[in-house]
Amino acid sequence: MFKEFRDFIKTGNVIEFAVAVIMAGAVGSVMNGFVDQIIMPILGQLIGGIDFSQFKIVLSPAVIENGQEVTPENAIRYGSWINSVVNLIIIGFAMFIVVKAYNKYQKKEVTDEAFKLTTQEELLTEIRDLLKKRPS
């Protein structure tokens, strides 16, 4: 069982998967920053200077005694959720573009190789065509 596990770990697929997970985490943080710091302020400005991240429904306000917060505010912060939805849409669109480009490249590569005839196949095709032209 240990040998099977070792062989499994040695395969390129596991290493590639690990790299993909790490890269996804890095790309996710970059995309979060892009959405939170660039897209949402622009979107907020376009619809009247609104900061989505501050949208919330306060369930119970903070209790402050002697200048110190005794009980923190309890609120539903739906503005952060809006940011997350926009983030998801942008990441989904970016992944769609990447996969579409990859599929287009793969399709082109396959069609170029699939229709390339060998010398023998070209000769057989010529013989077939000549036999078709021959009177019966």
Side-chain angles (χ1 to χ4, degrees):
M1 189 159 119
F2 179 73
K3 183 181 181 298
E4 286 178 307
F5 179 71
R6 186 186 68 208
D7 292 342
F8 172 73
I9 292 297
K10 283 184 178 180
T11 62
N13 293 340
V14 173
I15 303 300
E16 291 169 4
F17 180 70
V19 169
V21 168
I22 292 168
M23 290 300 295
V27 168
S29 66
V30 168
M31 292 306 295
N32 282 335
F34 178 72
V35 170
D36 292 341
Q37 305 301 322
I38 296 172
I39 298 296
M40 293 312 287
I42 292 170
L43 187 61
Q45 189 64 35
L46 289 175
I47 59 173
I50 298 171
D51 180 9
F52 286 99
S53 66
Q54 300 303 315
F55 286 4
K56 61 186 173 183
I57 299 171
V58 177
L59 300 174
S60 61
V63 176
I64 300 174
E65 292 177 4
N66 299 328
Q68 292 203 355
E69 187 176 74
V70 176
T71 307
E73 175 183 75
N74 185 15
I76 299 172
R77 289 170 174 71
Y78 66 91
S80 296
W81 181 76
I82 292 172
N83 285 354
S84 298
V85 170
V86 172
N87 194 358
L88 175 67
I89 291 169
I90 290 171
I91 291 172
F93 183 71
M95 291 308 299
F96 169 76
I97 297 297
V98 168
V99 169
K100 186 174 180 178
Y102 176 76
N103 286 340
K104 185 176 181 181
Y105 172 75
Q106 288 294 98
K107 188 175 182 182
K108 180 182 178 192
E109 187 177 290
V110 168
T111 50
D112 289 347
E113 292 297 320
F115 293 109
K116 187 175 182 180
L117 299 176
T118 65
T119 306
Q120 184 178 5
E121 291 171 336
E122 288 177 11
L123 289 173
L124 288 171
T125 303
E126 288 178 26
I127 292 170
R128 182 199 64 203
D129 293 342
L130 288 171
L131 287 173
K132 282 184 179 178
K133 291 179 183 177
R134 192 172 134 193
S136 300

